Amino acid sequence: MTTIALLGNPNSGKTSIFNILTGANQQVGNWPGVTVERKSGHYKKDKKVEIQDLPGTYSLSPYSLEEEVTRHYLLQTPPDVLLNIIDATNLERSLYLTLQLMDFGIPMVLALNMSDLTERDGKKIDIEKLSYSLGVPIIATSAIKNRGLNEAVNIATKTHDIAHIEYDNRLEGALAEIGKVIHSSNRFEQIKCFEGDTLTLSQLSHAQQFEIKDIVKITEKVMSDDCESIIVNERYDLIGQIVQLCVTDISNGKANLT
Ligand code: BGO
């Protein structure tokens, strides 16, 4: 059995894709202990593939029950592969979640959904370059036209590589040090410690928290910024570079009238 987890921002087309992939083979319930809907199902074309739908979310902070459920699932019962649904018409915002998901160290495939709308918006996305920049396979999909979805599942079932993103050396050094303190190579946990995430820190000893505080303080000083802004800026800087490399304006200055 292969488990594929569907993740994406709200309105990325995740429900449409889940319904097309699973058809009537769906189970609906709640996530344990919370009133957040849990939907899973089997892939219509191969019952050995389980599709787990996760709540639509922008971040994994957790500021909401949906974020908490998603984060808990990814840490405690990681799927074989993530199928991250990204809205091609909202690339920057979508990639912000993608970068956070990559921190979990789970193999990942991107479905560049709403790809039927990018030309209308006067944009062309170079999928090869985008895939190369992120180090993950990307398939252009359109849930509304039922395009690319089976291909996305086929690629997902064959994807075992884990992609790595590298930020500024000073931040990477701090994360490596935190990894040593918490005895974990899990980048998500390292970043959460760096950001001062209370849920993650509360699971550590006072001595570990103290050491982390020191590492963060030094990094904030050398990078002249506070810990949360350091992470946010690193992510947005990288996204800016990727978008500049991969997205071309093909509108020829014409106003978008649709
Ligand atoms: C409405 N292409 C296009 N063009 N639209 C898509 C695609 C795609 O690839 N995929 C999804 N949509 P959800 P989340 C709607 O409902 O699956 C559309 O939140 C409407 N509804 O049809 O719900 C999809 O689960 C009235 O649009 O996303 C849906 O991630 C007018 O994107 C919306 C216009 O999809 C969100 C659209 C009453």
Side-chain angles (χ1 to χ4, degrees):
M1 181 72 83
T2 303
T3 304
I4 300 176
L6 298 189
L7 293 116
N9 292 159
N11 287 318
S12 57
K14 204 166 54 61
T15 307
S16 311
I17 291 179
F18 178 75
N19 289 339
I20 292 170
L21 294 179
T22 59
N25 307 306
Q26 298 184 1
Q27 291 95 48
V28 182
N30 274 350
W31 288 91
V34 285
T35 52
V36 176
E37 191 181 66
R38 175 177 191 159
K39 282 196 296 181
S40 61
H42 288 95
Y43 179 39
K44 263 195 307 200
K45 294 183 182 257
D46 182 355
K47 299 285 179 289
K48 290 194 295 301
V49 177
E50 189 189 29
I51 315 252
Q52 176 62 63
D53 190 26
L54 286 158
T57 173
Y58 292 107
S59 108
L60 299 163
S61 292
Y63 294 125
S64 67
L65 269 182
E66 283 74 13
E67 291 173 357
E68 201 175 320
V69 160
T70 303
R71 166 174 161 153
H72 189 263
Y73 169 82
L74 294 177
L75 284 172
Q76 302 305 323
T77 51
D80 297 297
V81 57
L82 305 178
L83 182 56
N84 177 204
I85 317 296
I86 58 175
D87 175 354
T89 66
N90 247 314
L91 200 55
E92 281 94 339
R93 197 174 64 186
S94 305
L95 290 178
Y96 194 78
L97 178 65
T98 303
L99 294 186
Q100 292 177 74
L101 292 174
M102 288 172 88
D103 293 333
F104 284 88
I106 301 170
M108 185 193 246
V109 171
L110 296 196
L112 187 66
N113 198 41
M114 314 260 181
S115 57
D116 54 295
L117 297 179
T118 42
E119 282 198 22
R120 179 207 70 174
D121 287 353
K123 282 185 187 156
K124 188 167 173 14
I125 301 174
D126 187 322
I127 294 184
E128 244 176 72
K129 280 187 189 167
L130 187 58
S131 170
Y132 181 77
S133 308
L134 292 164
V136 297
I138 302 180
I139 295 91
T141 63
S142 167
I144 219 139
K145 301 197 172 190
N146 197 350
R147 277 201 316 237
L149 301 175
N150 294 324
E151 193 193 348
V153 173
N154 286 341
I155 304 263
T157 55
K158 295 184 186 92
T159 298
H160 306 290
D161 294 341
I162 293 164
H164 294 282
I165 286 293
E166 290 246 330
Y167 295 128
D168 183 290
N169 282 340
R170 295 165 294 181
L171 174 58
E172 290 298 334
L175 296 178
E177 286 303 312
I178 289 173
K180 284 185 209 156
V181 174
I182 63 172
H183 311 293
S184 170
S185 56
N186 184 310
R187 198 172 161 83
F188 178 79
E189 283 173 340
Q190 294 169 1
I191 290 182
K192 286 293 143 196
C193 285
F194 183 83
E195 288 177 324
D197 178 79
T198 43
L199 194 64
T200 312
L201 291 175
S202 68
Q203 287 151 8
L204 303 175
S205 70
H206 284 300
Q208 285 173 312
Q209 292 185 30
F210 195 75
E211 276 190 72
I212 290 169
K213 242 188 196 160
D214 252 5
I215 297 167
V216 172
K217 217 160 108 188
I218 295 167
T219 317
E220 286 181 326
K221 200 165 173 204
V222 293
M223 295 186 76
S224 310
D225 214 340
D226 66 90
C227 55
E228 285 187 69
S229 307
I230 290 173
I231 299 287
V232 171
N233 291 339
E234 284 297 314
R235 286 190 178 132
Y236 275 118
D237 283 354
L238 183 62
I239 290 170
Q241 289 165 26
I242 291 175
V243 168
Q244 204 179 6
L245 182 76
C246 306
V247 183
T248 317
D249 182 353
I250 52 166
S251 66
N252 295 322
K254 280 183 228 144
N256 182 2
L257 301 173
T258 50

